[in-house]
PDB file of all heavy atoms in Angstrom:
ATOM      1  N   MET A  24       0.847  -1.199  -0.009  1.00 78.00           N
ATOM      2  CA  MET A  24      -0.010  -0.002   0.001  1.00 78.00           C
ATOM      3  C   MET A  24       0.891   1.251   0.014  1.00 78.00           C
ATOM      4  O   MET A  24       1.858   1.296   0.750  1.00 78.00           O
ATOM      5  CB  MET A  24      -0.852  -0.026   1.277  1.00 78.00           C
ATOM      6  CG  MET A  24      -2.126   0.773   1.177  1.00 78.00           C
ATOM      7  SD  MET A  24      -2.987   0.847   2.770  1.00 78.00           S
ATOM      8  CE  MET A  24      -3.512  -0.861   2.946  1.00 78.00           C
ATOM      9  N   PRO A  25       0.601   2.245  -0.855  1.00 80.00           N
ATOM     10  CA  PRO A  25       1.438   3.452  -0.844  1.00 80.00           C
ATOM     11  C   PRO A  25       1.300   4.222   0.478  1.00 80.00           C
ATOM     12  O   PRO A  25       0.267   4.171   1.125  1.00 80.00           O
ATOM     13  CB  PRO A  25       0.883   4.287  -2.027  1.00 80.00           C
ATOM     14  CG  PRO A  25      -0.493   3.776  -2.246  1.00 80.00           C
ATOM     15  CD  PRO A  25      -0.504   2.334  -1.786  1.00 80.00           C
ATOM     16  N   ALA A  26       2.403   4.943   0.842  1.00 80.00           N
ATOM     17  CA  ALA A  26       2.363   5.726   2.078  1.00 80.00           C
ATOM     18  C   ALA A  26       1.322   6.835   1.927  1.00 80.00           C
ATOM     19  O   ALA A  26       1.241   7.470   0.878  1.00 80.00           O
ATOM     20  CB  ALA A  26       3.735   6.312   2.360  1.00 80.00           C
ATOM     21  N   PRO A  27       0.502   7.056   2.945  1.00 87.00           N
ATOM     22  CA  PRO A  27      -0.541   8.096   2.829  1.00 87.00           C
ATOM     23  C   PRO A  27       0.067   9.508   2.819  1.00 87.00           C
ATOM     24  O   PRO A  27       1.076   9.768   3.457  1.00 87.00           O
ATOM     25  CB  PRO A  27      -1.407   7.888   4.076  1.00 87.00           C
ATOM     26  CG  PRO A  27      -0.541   7.126   5.013  1.00 87.00           C
ATOM     27  CD  PRO A  27       0.483   6.386   4.216  1.00 87.00           C
ATOM     28  N   LEU A 105       0.876  10.382  20.695  1.00 98.00           N
ATOM     29  CA  LEU A 105       0.692  10.096  19.274  1.00 98.00           C
ATOM     30  C   LEU A 105      -0.474   9.107  19.098  1.00 98.00           C
ATOM     31  O   LEU A 105      -0.495   8.068  19.735  1.00 98.00           O
ATOM     32  CB  LEU A 105       1.979   9.492  18.678  1.00 98.00           C
ATOM     33  CG  LEU A 105       1.921   9.010  17.237  1.00 98.00           C
ATOM     34  CD1 LEU A 105       1.789  10.200  16.270  1.00 98.00           C
ATOM     35  CD2 LEU A 105       3.162   8.199  16.872  1.00 98.00           C
ATOM     36  N   GLN A 106      -1.445   9.465  18.298  1.00 97.00           N
ATOM     37  CA  GLN A 106      -2.532   8.534  18.028  1.00 97.00           C
ATOM     38  C   GLN A 106      -3.056   8.687  16.609  1.00 97.00           C
ATOM     39  O   GLN A 106      -3.037   9.775  16.037  1.00 97.00           O
ATOM     40  CB  GLN A 106      -3.695   8.711  19.007  1.00 97.00           C
ATOM     41  CG  GLN A 106      -4.474   9.994  18.850  1.00 97.00           C
ATOM     42  CD  GLN A 106      -5.820   9.964  19.583  1.00 97.00           C
ATOM     43  OE1 GLN A 106      -6.364   8.925  19.920  1.00 97.00           O
ATOM     44  NE2 GLN A 106      -6.383  11.145  19.840  1.00 97.00           N
ATOM     45  N   VAL A 107      -3.463   7.544  16.038  1.00 98.00           N
ATOM     46  CA  VAL A 107      -4.131   7.505  14.746  1.00 98.00           C
ATOM     47  C   VAL A 107      -5.534   7.010  15.042  1.00 98.00           C
ATOM     48  O   VAL A 107      -5.730   5.988  15.724  1.00 98.00           O
ATOM     49  CB  VAL A 107      -3.402   6.584  13.754  1.00 98.00           C
ATOM     50  CG1 VAL A 107      -4.211   6.366  12.485  1.00 98.00           C
ATOM     51  CG2 VAL A 107      -2.036   7.171  13.407  1.00 98.00           C
ATOM     52  N   LEU A 112      -8.074   3.072  10.673  1.00 95.00           N
ATOM     53  CA  LEU A 112      -7.065   3.773   9.878  1.00 95.00           C
ATOM     54  C   LEU A 112      -5.643   3.402  10.335  1.00 95.00           C
ATOM     55  O   LEU A 112      -4.654   3.790   9.706  1.00 95.00           O
ATOM     56  CB  LEU A 112      -7.233   5.297   9.996  1.00 95.00           C
ATOM     57  CG  LEU A 112      -8.467   5.876   9.315  1.00 95.00           C
ATOM     58  CD1 LEU A 112      -8.487   7.390   9.487  1.00 95.00           C
ATOM     59  CD2 LEU A 112      -8.493   5.545   7.819  1.00 95.00           C
ATOM     60  N   GLN A 113      -5.540   2.651  11.439  1.00 96.00           N
ATOM     61  CA  GLN A 113      -4.214   2.277  11.940  1.00 96.00           C
ATOM     62  C   GLN A 113      -3.575   1.212  11.046  1.00 96.00           C
ATOM     63  O   GLN A 113      -4.254   0.521  10.315  1.00 96.00           O
ATOM     64  CB  GLN A 113      -4.322   1.773  13.385  1.00 96.00           C
ATOM     65  CG  GLN A 113      -4.747   2.883  14.356  1.00 96.00           C
ATOM     66  CD  GLN A 113      -4.987   2.404  15.780  1.00 96.00           C
ATOM     67  OE1 GLN A 113      -4.787   1.255  16.119  1.00 96.00           O
ATOM     68  NE2 GLN A 113      -5.457   3.329  16.610  1.00 96.00           N
ATOM     69  N   SER A 114      -2.250   1.094  11.107  1.00 95.00           N
ATOM     70  CA  SER A 114      -1.469   0.124  10.339  1.00 95.00           C
ATOM     71  C   SER A 114      -1.523   0.365   8.842  1.00 95.00           C
ATOM     72  O   SER A 114      -1.447  -0.569   8.033  1.00 95.00           O
ATOM     73  CB  SER A 114      -1.931  -1.323  10.629  1.00 95.00           C
ATOM     74  OG  SER A 114      -1.644  -1.615  11.983  1.00 95.00           O
ATOM     75  N   ARG A 115      -1.718   1.617   8.442  1.00 95.00           N
ATOM     76  CA  ARG A 115      -1.681   1.977   7.005  1.00 95.00           C
ATOM     77  C   ARG A 115      -0.591   2.980   6.704  1.00 95.00           C
ATOM     78  O   ARG A 115      -0.584   3.609   5.650  1.00 95.00           O
ATOM     79  CB  ARG A 115      -3.018   2.590   6.582  1.00 95.00           C
ATOM     80  CG  ARG A 115      -4.179   1.643   6.703  1.00 95.00           C
ATOM     81  CD  ARG A 115      -5.413   2.375   6.250  1.00 95.00           C
ATOM     82  NE  ARG A 115      -6.596   1.573   6.478  1.00 95.00           N
ATOM     83  CZ  ARG A 115      -7.775   1.867   5.977  1.00 95.00           C
ATOM     84  NH1 ARG A 115      -7.928   2.943   5.207  1.00 95.00           N
ATOM     85  NH2 ARG A 115      -8.835   1.112   6.232  1.00 95.00           N
ATOM     86  N   GLY A 116       0.252   3.230   7.693  1.00 96.00           N
ATOM     87  CA  GLY A 116       1.382   4.143   7.458  1.00 96.00           C
ATOM     88  C   GLY A 116       1.157   5.568   7.915  1.00 96.00           C
ATOM     89  O   GLY A 116       2.051   6.410   7.733  1.00 96.00           O
ATOM     90  N   ILE A 117      -0.015   5.869   8.495  1.00 97.00           N
ATOM     91  CA  ILE A 117      -0.269   7.255   8.906  1.00 97.00           C
ATOM     92  C   ILE A 117       0.633   7.651  10.067  1.00 97.00           C
ATOM     93  O   ILE A 117       1.232   8.732  10.102  1.00 97.00           O
ATOM     94  CB  ILE A 117      -1.770   7.471   9.273  1.00 97.00           C
ATOM     95  CG1 ILE A 117      -2.615   7.294   8.024  1.00 97.00           C
ATOM     96  CG2 ILE A 117      -2.008   8.836   9.900  1.00 97.00           C
ATOM     97  CD1 ILE A 117      -4.115   7.317   8.269  1.00 97.00           C
ATOM     98  N   GLY A 118       0.804   6.735  11.040  1.00 97.00           N
ATOM     99  CA  GLY A 118       1.679   7.010  12.191  1.00 97.00           C
ATOM    100  C   GLY A 118       3.117   7.291  11.747  1.00 97.00           C
ATOM    101  O   GLY A 118       3.761   8.220  12.221  1.00 97.00           O
ATOM    102  N   THR A 119       3.582   6.485  10.810  1.00 96.00           N
ATOM    103  CA  THR A 119       4.952   6.667  10.260  1.00 96.00           C
ATOM    104  C   THR A 119       5.063   8.012   9.597  1.00 96.00           C
ATOM    105  O   THR A 119       6.033   8.762   9.827  1.00 96.00           O
ATOM    106  CB  THR A 119       5.231   5.551   9.216  1.00 96.00           C
ATOM    107  OG1 THR A 119       5.127   4.287   9.888  1.00 96.00           O
ATOM    108  CG2 THR A 119       6.611   5.696   8.605  1.00 96.00           C
ATOM    109  N   GLY A 140       8.124   8.340  25.312  1.00 97.00           N
ATOM    110  CA  GLY A 140       8.025   7.225  26.241  1.00 97.00           C
ATOM    111  C   GLY A 140       7.135   6.138  25.664  1.00 97.00           C
ATOM    112  O   GLY A 140       6.088   6.463  25.097  1.00 97.00           O
ATOM    113  N   VAL A 141       7.531   4.876  25.854  1.00 97.00           N
ATOM    114  CA  VAL A 141       6.663   3.775  25.369  1.00 97.00           C
ATOM    115  C   VAL A 141       6.273   2.880  26.547  1.00 97.00           C
ATOM    116  O   VAL A 141       7.084   2.650  27.462  1.00 97.00           O
ATOM    117  CB  VAL A 141       7.303   2.871  24.291  1.00 97.00           C
ATOM    118  CG1 VAL A 141       7.215   3.472  22.941  1.00 97.00           C
ATOM    119  CG2 VAL A 141       8.703   2.465  24.613  1.00 97.00           C
ATOM    120  N   GLU A 143       4.202   0.060  25.578  1.00 91.00           N
ATOM    121  CA  GLU A 143       3.755  -1.191  24.945  1.00 91.00           C
ATOM    122  C   GLU A 143       4.705  -1.584  23.835  1.00 91.00           C
ATOM    123  O   GLU A 143       5.340  -0.714  23.223  1.00 91.00           O
ATOM    124  CB  GLU A 143       2.360  -1.011  24.314  1.00 91.00           C
ATOM    125  CG  GLU A 143       1.262  -0.871  25.340  1.00 91.00           C
ATOM    126  CD  GLU A 143      -0.045  -0.520  24.666  1.00 91.00           C
ATOM    127  OE1 GLU A 143      -0.318  -1.015  23.559  1.00 91.00           O
ATOM    128  OE2 GLU A 143      -0.783   0.292  25.257  1.00 91.00           O
ATOM    129  N   GLY A 145       3.984  -2.908  20.787  1.00 87.00           N
ATOM    130  CA  GLY A 145       3.512  -2.622  19.415  1.00 87.00           C
ATOM    131  C   GLY A 145       4.114  -1.292  18.918  1.00 87.00           C
ATOM    132  O   GLY A 145       4.857  -1.264  17.932  1.00 87.00           O
ATOM    133  N   PRO A 146       3.782  -0.188  19.600  1.00 93.00           N
ATOM    134  CA  PRO A 146       4.358   1.107  19.179  1.00 93.00           C
ATOM    135  C   PRO A 146       5.879   1.082  19.221  1.00 93.00           C
ATOM    136  O   PRO A 146       6.528   1.711  18.384  1.00 93.00           O
ATOM    137  CB  PRO A 146       3.807   2.091  20.215  1.00 93.00           C
ATOM    138  CG  PRO A 146       2.553   1.466  20.721  1.00 93.00           C
ATOM    139  CD  PRO A 146       2.760  -0.040  20.656  1.00 93.00           C
ATOM    140  N   ARG A 148       7.950  -1.212  18.381  1.00 95.00           N
ATOM    141  CA  ARG A 148       8.473  -1.756  17.113  1.00 95.00           C
ATOM    142  C   ARG A 148       8.536  -0.686  16.058  1.00 95.00           C
ATOM    143  O   ARG A 148       9.481  -0.522  15.301  1.00 95.00           O
ATOM    144  CB  ARG A 148       7.587  -2.911  16.605  1.00 95.00           C
ATOM    145  CG  ARG A 148       7.924  -4.262  17.104  1.00 95.00           C
ATOM    146  CD  ARG A 148       7.344  -5.351  16.182  1.00 95.00           C
ATOM    147  NE  ARG A 148       5.927  -5.141  15.881  1.00 95.00           N
ATOM    148  CZ  ARG A 148       4.929  -5.566  16.661  1.00 95.00           C
ATOM    149  NH1 ARG A 148       5.200  -6.185  17.787  1.00 95.00           N
ATOM    150  NH2 ARG A 148       3.679  -5.348  16.322  1.00 95.00           N
ATOM    151  N   LEU A 149       7.431   0.104  15.976  1.00 96.00           N
ATOM    152  CA  LEU A 149       7.347   1.186  14.995  1.00 96.00           C
ATOM    153  C   LEU A 149       8.483   2.218  15.232  1.00 96.00           C
ATOM    154  O   LEU A 149       9.173   2.626  14.296  1.00 96.00           O
ATOM    155  CB  LEU A 149       5.973   1.856  15.117  1.00 96.00           C
ATOM    156  CG  LEU A 149       5.772   3.214  14.406  1.00 96.00           C
ATOM    157  CD1 LEU A 149       5.820   3.047  12.910  1.00 96.00           C
ATOM    158  CD2 LEU A 149       4.396   3.793  14.803  1.00 96.00           C
ATOM    159  N   TYR A 150       8.690   2.602  16.499  1.00 97.00           N
ATOM    160  CA  TYR A 150       9.704   3.634  16.785  1.00 97.00           C
ATOM    161  C   TYR A 150      11.102   3.097  16.493  1.00 97.00           C
ATOM    162  O   TYR A 150      11.930   3.838  15.966  1.00 97.00           O
ATOM    163  CB  TYR A 150       9.592   4.089  18.251  1.00 97.00           C
ATOM    164  CG  TYR A 150       8.230   4.642  18.607  1.00 97.00           C
ATOM    165  CD1 TYR A 150       7.603   4.320  19.797  1.00 97.00           C
ATOM    166  CD2 TYR A 150       7.578   5.508  17.730  1.00 97.00           C
ATOM    167  CE1 TYR A 150       6.350   4.825  20.108  1.00 97.00           C
ATOM    168  CE2 TYR A 150       6.319   6.027  18.034  1.00 97.00           C
ATOM    169  CZ  TYR A 150       5.706   5.667  19.223  1.00 97.00           C
ATOM    170  OH  TYR A 150       4.465   6.171  19.514  1.00 97.00           O
ATOM    171  N   ARG A 152      11.918   0.946  14.258  1.00 96.00           N
ATOM    172  CA  ARG A 152      12.065   0.975  12.796  1.00 96.00           C
ATOM    173  C   ARG A 152      12.305   2.386  12.275  1.00 96.00           C
ATOM    174  O   ARG A 152      12.953   2.565  11.262  1.00 96.00           O
ATOM    175  CB  ARG A 152      10.806   0.406  12.153  1.00 96.00           C
ATOM    176  CG  ARG A 152      11.095  -0.793  11.304  1.00 96.00           C
ATOM    177  CD  ARG A 152       9.939  -1.242  10.405  1.00 96.00           C
ATOM    178  NE  ARG A 152       8.649  -0.736  10.781  1.00 96.00           N
ATOM    179  CZ  ARG A 152       7.742  -1.459  11.443  1.00 96.00           C
ATOM    180  NH1 ARG A 152       8.033  -2.694  11.829  1.00 96.00           N
ATOM    181  NH2 ARG A 152       6.581  -0.955  11.698  1.00 96.00           N
TER     182      ARG A 152
HETATM  183  C1  COA B 229       0.847   3.667  17.541  1.00 86.58           C
HETATM  184  C2  COA B 229       0.102   4.345  16.381  1.00 86.58           C
HETATM  185  C3  COA B 229       0.120   5.854  16.554  1.00 86.58           C
HETATM  186  C4  COA B 229       0.821   3.990  15.087  1.00 86.58           C
HETATM  187  O1  COA B 229       0.136   4.565  13.999  1.00 86.58           O
HETATM  188  P1  COA B 229      -0.165   3.700  12.700  1.00 86.58           P
HETATM  189  O2  COA B 229      -0.738   4.584  11.707  1.00 86.58           O
HETATM  190  O3  COA B 229      -0.939   2.501  13.074  1.00 86.58           O
HETATM  191  O4  COA B 229       1.344   3.315  12.330  1.00 86.58           O
HETATM  192  P2  COA B 229       1.876   2.756  10.936  1.00 86.58           P
HETATM  193  O5  COA B 229       0.747   2.268  10.107  1.00 86.58           O
HETATM  194  O6  COA B 229       2.772   3.776  10.352  1.00 86.58           O
HETATM  195  O7  COA B 229       2.773   1.548  11.407  1.00 86.58           O
HETATM  196  C5  COA B 229       2.130   0.525  12.162  1.00 86.58           C
HETATM  197  C6  COA B 229       2.111  -0.785  11.385  1.00 86.58           C
HETATM  198  O8  COA B 229       1.592  -0.578  10.092  1.00 86.58           O
HETATM  199  C7  COA B 229       2.495  -1.084   9.145  1.00 86.58           C
HETATM  200  N1  COA B 229       2.565  -0.137   8.009  1.00 86.58           N
HETATM  201  C8  COA B 229       3.323   0.981   7.927  1.00 86.58           C
HETATM  202  N2  COA B 229       3.151   1.596   6.712  1.00 86.58           N
HETATM  203  C9  COA B 229       2.229   0.880   6.032  1.00 86.58           C
HETATM  204  C10 COA B 229       1.621   1.008   4.783  1.00 86.58           C
HETATM  205  N3  COA B 229       1.917   2.014   3.917  1.00 86.58           N
HETATM  206  N4  COA B 229       0.709   0.073   4.407  1.00 86.58           N
HETATM  207  C11 COA B 229       0.401  -0.947   5.235  1.00 86.58           C
HETATM  208  N5  COA B 229       0.926  -1.129   6.479  1.00 86.58           N
HETATM  209  C12 COA B 229       1.851  -0.229   6.866  1.00 86.58           C
HETATM  210  C13 COA B 229       3.836  -1.106   9.799  1.00 86.58           C
HETATM  211  O9  COA B 229       4.641  -2.143   9.278  1.00 86.58           O
HETATM  212  C14 COA B 229       3.454  -1.360  11.246  1.00 86.58           C
HETATM  213  O10 COA B 229       3.396  -2.748  11.515  1.00 86.58           O
HETATM  214  P3  COA B 229       3.866  -3.378  12.928  1.00 86.58           P
HETATM  215  O11 COA B 229       2.591  -3.808  13.575  1.00 86.58           O
HETATM  216  O12 COA B 229       4.765  -4.482  12.559  1.00 86.58           O
HETATM  217  O13 COA B 229       4.578  -2.301  13.729  1.00 86.58           O
HETATM  218  C15 COA B 229      -1.379   3.864  16.266  1.00 86.58           C
HETATM  219  O14 COA B 229      -1.397   2.472  16.093  1.00 86.58           O
HETATM  220  C16 COA B 229      -2.236   4.236  17.471  1.00 86.58           C
HETATM  221  O15 COA B 229      -2.842   5.278  17.513  1.00 86.58           O
HETATM  222  N6  COA B 229      -2.314   3.356  18.490  1.00 86.58           N
HETATM  223  C17 COA B 229      -3.105   3.630  19.684  1.00 86.58           C
HETATM  224  C18 COA B 229      -2.446   4.702  20.552  1.00 86.58           C
HETATM  225  C19 COA B 229      -0.989   4.387  20.904  1.00 86.58           C
HETATM  226  O16 COA B 229      -0.676   3.275  21.327  1.00 86.58           O
HETATM  227  N7  COA B 229      -0.125   5.373  20.747  1.00 86.58           N
HETATM  228  C20 COA B 229       1.306   5.210  21.009  1.00 86.58           C
HETATM  229  C21 COA B 229       1.698   5.955  22.221  1.00 86.58           C
HETATM  230  S1  COA B 229       3.437   5.613  22.574  1.00 86.58           S
END
Side-chain angles (χ1 to χ4, degrees):
M24 204 186 291
L105 174 69
Q106 69 165 340
V107 171
L112 291 181
Q113 294 175 4
S114 296
R115 297 181 187 191
I117 294 173
T119 300
V141 279
E143 289 172 38
R148 272 200 310 275
L149 166 66
Y150 302 136
R152 238 192 342 259

